[in-house]
Amino acid sequence: MSAAAAARAPWLSRFITSEHPLPWLLPAAALMTVFGIYPLVSAFISTLYRKNAATRKLVFDPDYNWVKVFGDERMWNALMNTLIYTGVALVFQLALGMLIALLLDSDRKGYGFMRALMTLPLVIPPAVTAMMFLMMLNGSFGVIAQGIIWTGLLPDNFSILGNASTALPGVLLAEIWQWTPFMVLIMLAGLRSLPKEPFEAAAIDGATNVQAFFKLTLPMMSKVIAIAVLIRGIDLLRAFDYVKVMTDSGPGTATETLTSYSGRIYFGNADFPYASTIALLTLILVIITSTFFMKAFKVKL
Amino acid sequence: MSFRDYDKKTFIADAARDFAARRISKRDFLKKMGLAGVGFSAFNLGLLGSTRPFRGTGPIGDAAYAQDASMTQWLKDVSGPFKGTKIRYTSEATPPTVVLDKLKGEFTEATGIEVEIEIVPLEQVLAKATQDVQGQLGSYDLYYLDQSWVATFSPDTIDPIAYYNDKPDLAMPGMDWDDFAKPLVDGLALYEGKWAGIPFDIPIFVTMYRKDILEKHKIAPPTTVDEFTAAVKMITEMEKGNGMYGTGLQAKSGHYSLNCDWTQMVWNEGGSIFTKDKKFSGNDEAGIRGLQLYQEWAKNAPPESTNSTWDGQWQMGASGQVALINSWDEFFPGWDGADSKVQGLWEAVRPIRGKPLRAVADAGFGEIPNYGHQGGSILGLSKYSKNIDAAWLFMQWACSKDIMVRCTLGGGFAPMRLSSFADERVKAKQVVGPGTTRHLPIVLETINNDIASEPDMPLWAGFSNNEIPVALGKLLTGQDYGGDAKKCMDDVAAQIDKAVAESGL
């Protein structure tokens, strides 16, 4: 601040350099208000209007969208898909992540390189990963699809992503492939920070590796696992990229998640109020689920 | 998810899709990824494979690209006040847009007006235009409007004929409005007596067949729906062992492409989407017959059809996987491309005819039932633009005789103007080869005789991108309705009739 400005408003200069918390909090609070609270409030306000698709006029009708959303079969289907998608992806990513982390938790030569390799899938943008899997799952020429067809599990030219019963597993394959390494890295960080003494004591007492894993490793890793699940869980509840690129919510609504449904209403039907209602519902779901999870597993962030 | 975030993700996806479909080169793909903030490792680069040209563009020589000198002079004369202006619009990556994007530098050079064309997926074009008109923002000076949205956006555009007459000082000499094919004006640009824009793009359904395969099985090129169906079934039976199917579909659930296929099936069976009393009629006898026949065709198409849009359908033809397609004429030049394995093997005829058509007077919302589904677009001048006159100059230039011919020469797709069809340079390319125009006589015949048009109603953009193709997807992939076409259409009818009633149309 210039001397002239300080002279004009001496209280401001004193306030900024004081030990009062406000000067420190204000910038963050302002950013939070502009980028967090305002869009949220704006989205909520828009849910209170009904849009006439023919005239594009917005009519104040506060309960219209909220009543509609709870009676909307597609929303319930999307909610169910979102929960299945999140649950299945989490289980696979967690189990595979832990398994691979245990295999890579070694100081022997070459393991460091292998750990570094695990980051490769993470640097590919999800939309590009989705395109890769879209091609690999193509029933006519995709390498994964052809492999499965070759084993006889699927008939010739079977379209994995074009079939209602196999599309969701197909999309999940891309999701799991890309994000399992994230779990591996978190688990590895946790494993490598565990103290050695309890394991040595257990070995002297004759504990097997399996016993040591269930009685020592898992309990000591519980906080790390909980945080990893929380981070991935929040991300998975907002699943969009893979669904958009690989199936565009189809076939029918077989892979439609809450975010992709909201996107379709927003960008396809241009019904902003109703799309905002679904988006807010997704936010509420994320908040409730993560709060419940943090309480249940005593996670403190 | 924010609009920007959505935008970025779909931009990446679209660029990747374009690259996979060989519409853009590896260099362009990487450039776009760079714009989207995406980096690549050497390993990823290896996965991208070798550079391939845009499938529709063939070498046409420098002469064809030279701008008409009188046009350049006129642009220089009138553009003085607008020098330094920047105009923007957003469009799907249709062949004319891609070629125009390459040519626009000539316009900028002559006028000093910069032109930014945002090429994004179709649903984003709709979303951006919708946001712009909803807030009357004027972020876009022009709108690329698909034929199914014209009614929605007509109130937001300026009638080009009226503007041409009102602003004689900016009126391009020799614009010759009568040169636009009348069926295109009626089916595309006109809504309630007003031109919502200038016709810009006209993909239209024609019937295309592999002459070698049909000759092999002694099948005559089909002219009716029944002949087409019989040929499709026969070829599937005879050639399936060789990995070939009778036909390929653009039946991706929830995509507009599936809606296009379906509407054509309904019209072919003598039905319509709406009746004159504005009720959905896809669930009447003709509508059900059409959908049942489509289910039959799907059994004789590569299973990947249910996950394919027009891109996938084109690929099926290019890879030699199918022998007959009733779809967009724009596929044709690419199949004749230099690197195509089916070069010279495809032929085009007028679209197959079905049962007698339902009269236009018996259909609703300005729908025109016929055998050639058109998927054209117009360029509309935004009422809310802050640079209306500069945009108007560009719009006239982009739709002028000279540019339209050169767009056709650059991509082999159908022009809007009768003079372009008759142009000697266009005729000279009616030979097998990249960017061929040998299908254009059939296209012109189809435009003049068979052009069909979807309903003109503000809700149609939503119905045709969501309710209808989602329900059809459920039916075709076995997610719902147990294979019962009637059940599916009754469900769609309930949704659509309710929405139409609620909107007060």
Side-chain angles (χ1 to χ4, degrees):
Chain A
M1 181 185 297
S2 70
R8 274 200 302 276
W11 61 271
L12 189 60
S13 134
R14 275 203 303 278
F15 178 66
I16 288 171
T17 53
S18 73
E19 287 180 13
H20 197 278
L22 265 184
W24 305 97
L25 290 176
L26 270 177
L31 287 174
M32 183 70 178
T33 307
V34 172
F35 296 109
I37 296 171
Y38 170 72
L40 197 65
V41 172
S42 170
F44 177 70
I45 290 171
S46 83
T47 67
L48 305 178
Y49 288 84
R50 177 163 51 88
K51 188 183 172 193
N52 184 313
T55 60
R56 294 204 292 255
K57 284 201 175 118
L58 294 169
V59 182
F60 186 68
D61 190 351
D63 58 351
Y64 176 81
N65 288 305
W66 291 99
V67 170
K68 183 177 168 184
V69 81
F70 288 109
D72 182 354
E73 263 180 55
R74 259 176 89 171
M75 188 284 291
W76 290 110
N77 171 72
L79 176 63
M80 189 52 74
N81 283 342
T82 306
L83 294 176
I84 292 172
Y85 187 93
T86 305
V88 173
L90 267 183
V91 167
F92 274 90
Q93 287 171 4
L94 189 62
L96 287 171
M98 178 58 93
L99 202 67
I100 297 169
L102 286 169
L103 289 171
L104 293 177
D105 182 22
S106 168
D107 290 324
R108 274 178 283 177
K109 204 176 169 187
Y111 275 70
F113 177 69
M114 295 217 292
R115 282 195 291 270
L117 274 186
M118 292 306 296
T119 59
L120 269 183
L122 293 173
V123 301
I124 303 173
V128 174
T129 301
M131 266 320 283
M132 280 163 48
F133 273 84
L134 179 65
M135 289 182 215
M136 290 195 287
L137 291 171
N138 187 299
S140 303
F141 56 80
V143 63
I144 296 177
Q146 290 298 313
I148 300 172
I149 289 166
W150 181 77
T151 61
L153 289 171
L154 295 174
D156 272 357
N157 289 309
F158 186 85
S159 174
I160 292 172
L161 297 175
N163 192 292
S165 54
T166 51
L168 193 59
V171 177
L172 276 164
L173 199 62
E175 166 74 51
I176 292 166
W177 177 83
Q178 179 143 47
W179 290 101
T180 296
F182 176 79
M183 286 293 200
V184 173
L185 294 179
I186 291 186
M187 297 299 161
L188 264 172
L191 285 173
R192 295 187 79 73
S193 65
L194 293 181
K196 287 196 175 130
E197 293 78 8
F199 292 92
E200 287 166 359
I204 291 166
D205 289 345
T208 62
N209 285 342
V210 175
Q211 282 172 321
F213 175 74
F214 283 106
K215 302 282 183 187
L216 292 173
T217 310
L218 269 188
M220 287 196 285
M221 286 279 289
S222 62
K223 294 282 182 222
V224 175
I225 293 171
I227 288 172
V229 168
L230 183 67
I231 295 170
R232 282 304 303 141
I234 290 172
D235 215 21
L236 284 161
L237 286 169
R238 300 180 294 122
F240 180 80
D241 313 58
Y242 305 103
V243 171
K244 175 72 192 163
V245 177
M246 294 174 75
T247 58
D248 203 5
S249 307
T253 52
T255 59
E256 191 160 75
T257 60
L258 282 173
T259 46
S260 70
Y261 182 37
S262 164
R264 185 175 283 276
I265 297 290
Y266 192 101
F267 295 103
N269 295 59
D271 189 348
F272 310 134
Y274 190 51
S276 298
T277 311
I278 301 167
L280 280 182
L281 204 65
T282 313
L283 180 69
I284 293 166
L285 175 72
V286 170
I287 291 170
I288 290 175
T289 317
S290 51
T291 308
F292 173 77
F293 184 84
M294 283 159 74
K295 290 255 184 242
F297 291 91
K298 298 187 175 64
V299 178
K300 282 186 184 163
L301 293 176
Chain B
M1 178 182 303
S2 68
F3 186 81
R4 190 180 172 79
D5 204 17
Y6 177 92
D7 223 22
K8 183 177 164 187
K9 285 172 177 174
T10 46
F11 176 81
I12 294 171
D14 193 48
R17 195 172 285 130
D18 282 348
F19 178 70
R22 297 167 189 161
R23 279 195 300 268
I24 58 172
S25 67
K26 186 161 77 180
R27 179 186 291 268
D28 287 340
F29 175 64
L30 292 174
K31 204 159 76 183
K32 285 183 175 213
M33 291 296 102
L35 283 173
V38 174
F40 282 91
S41 65
F43 172 71
N44 300 146
L45 281 172
L47 285 175
L48 295 176
S50 59
T51 306
R52 301 286 287 270
F54 163 56
R55 71 174 186 233
T57 310
I60 60 170
D62 293 339
Y65 278 120
Q67 178 154 288
D68 182 67
S70 59
M71 164 86 81
T72 309
Q73 192 52 52
W74 177 78
L75 287 173
K76 280 183 178 166
D77 291 345
V78 296
S79 62
F82 316 114
K83 212 171 279 273
T85 311
K86 185 171 187 176
I87 59 169
R88 297 174 73 207
Y89 77 100
T90 179
S91 169
E92 195 194 7
T94 58
T97 299
V98 172
V99 180
L100 190 65
D101 196 31
K102 288 179 184 170
L103 299 182
K104 71 182 186 194
E106 295 175 17
F107 175 80
T108 302
E109 202 177 307
T111 60
I113 299 168
E114 267 191 73
V115 182
E116 186 185 326
I117 307 177
E118 283 177 31
I119 298 182
V120 295
L122 190 63
E123 74 268 22
Q124 270 194 60
V125 178
L126 173 61
K128 283 166 185 265
T130 305
Q131 281 204 328
D132 198 65
V133 300
Q134 186 78 40
Q136 304 190 356
L137 305 173
S139 313
Y140 297 104
D141 303 291
L142 298 170
Y143 299 124
Y144 168 94
L145 300 176
D146 186 87
Q147 48 90 27
S148 59
W149 317 336
V150 169
T152 312
F153 291 95
S154 176
D156 308 295
T157 60
I158 294 168
D159 185 332
I161 302 282
Y163 208 67
Y164 190 84
N165 293 329
D166 291 348
K167 291 257 180 177
D169 48 327
L170 295 180
M172 177 180 279
M175 192 63 189
D176 192 4
W177 296 98
D178 293 334
D179 191 33
F180 289 96
K182 191 171 180 311
L184 291 183
V185 173
D186 292 345
L188 268 173
L190 269 181
Y191 178 63
E192 294 181 340
K194 172 197 163 184
W195 284 51
I198 305 180
F200 182 65
D201 180 19
I202 180 61
I204 192 165
F205 270 36
V206 295
T207 298
M208 293 167 281
Y209 63 93
R210 280 278 300 269
K211 68 175 175 195
D212 54 331
I213 303 296
L214 263 59
E215 276 168 12
K216 180 180 166 189
H217 296 290
K218 300 185 170 44
I219 302 170
T223 55
T224 65
V225 171
D226 290 343
E227 286 172 15
F228 185 90
T229 306
V232 160
K233 283 182 180 173
M234 185 181 174
I235 289 166
T236 304
E237 203 181 310
M238 310 293 280
E239 295 285 343
K240 207 172 171 184
N242 300 324
M244 179 174 258
Y245 290 82
T247 190
L249 306 174
Q250 44 181 350
K252 179 160 179 156
S253 171
H255 197 276
Y256 178 61
S257 58
L258 174 53
N259 177 77
C260 294
D261 266 6
W262 167 76
T263 45
Q264 189 57 71
M265 299 305 288
V266 173
W267 291 328
N268 280 351
E269 288 299 314
S272 63
I273 301 155
F274 286 98
T275 55
K276 61 182 170 191
D277 58 351
K278 298 181 176 177
K279 292 279 179 207
F280 180 80
S281 54
N283 59 340
D284 66 13
E285 208 180 310
I288 300 305
R289 268 201 318 266
L291 183 50
Q292 284 169 340
L293 187 58
Y294 193 65
Q295 289 175 288
E296 197 63 30
W297 285 12
K299 289 178 195 158
N300 293 279
E304 206 57 48
S305 289
T306 51
N307 198 38
S308 298
T309 65
W310 32 70
D311 285 338
Q313 197 181 28
W314 179 85
Q315 284 287 357
M316 289 172 205
S319 61
Q321 212 182 355
V322 298
L324 288 144
I325 284 182
N326 194 52
S327 190
W328 309 110
D329 68 291
E330 278 184 347
F331 291 169
F332 208 81
W335 287 336
D336 259 9
D339 59 346
S340 168
K341 62 190 267 193
V342 292
Q343 191 185 45
L345 297 179
W346 283 92
E347 295 294 336
V349 287
R350 270 174 68 183
I352 46 175
R353 4 275 302 137
K355 304 232 165 5
L357 294 165
R358 185 165 290 175
V360 172
D362 292 331
F365 296 112
E367 178 185 348
I368 306 172
N370 212 325
Y371 303 118
H373 188 295
Q374 57 100 352
S377 64
I378 60 171
L379 271 188
L381 183 59
S382 168
K383 243 186 195 175
Y384 318 113
S385 163
K386 294 166 188 84
N387 310 299
I388 290 181
D389 287 341
W392 172 234
L393 285 184
F394 176 77
M395 191 170 158
Q396 291 178 91
W397 175 83
C399 300
S400 66
K401 287 181 181 176
D402 182 44
I403 295 302
M404 283 216 161
V405 165
R406 290 164 64 202
C407 280
T408 300
L409 289 169
F413 51 85
M416 304 286 110
R417 287 176 170 276
L418 297 171
S419 60
S420 307
F421 282 101
D423 189 277
E424 286 309 316
R425 290 170 294 175
V426 174
K427 281 185 175 172
K429 287 194 77 181
Q430 287 178 3
V431 289
V432 173
T436 185
T437 59
R438 66 189 176 97
H439 59 304
L440 291 191
I442 292 294
V443 172
L444 183 59
E445 235 181 292
T446 306
I447 289 172
N448 287 333
N449 299 291
D450 308 317
I451 192 167
S453 212
E454 291 176 2
D456 284 330
M457 65 182 304
L459 277 73
W460 185 246
F463 293 155
S464 59
N465 281 282
N466 187 8
E467 283 85 354
I468 294 172
V470 166
L472 289 171
K474 284 184 183 176
L475 173 76
L476 293 171
T477 62
Q479 191 197 356
D480 206 350
Y481 312 119
D484 187 339
K486 175 84 171 107
K487 228 187 224 177
C488 170
M489 283 292 104
D490 283 344
D491 184 21
V492 174
Q495 292 179 56
I496 288 185
D497 287 341
K498 184 172 174 238
V500 172
E502 272 182 6
S503 72
L505 279 172

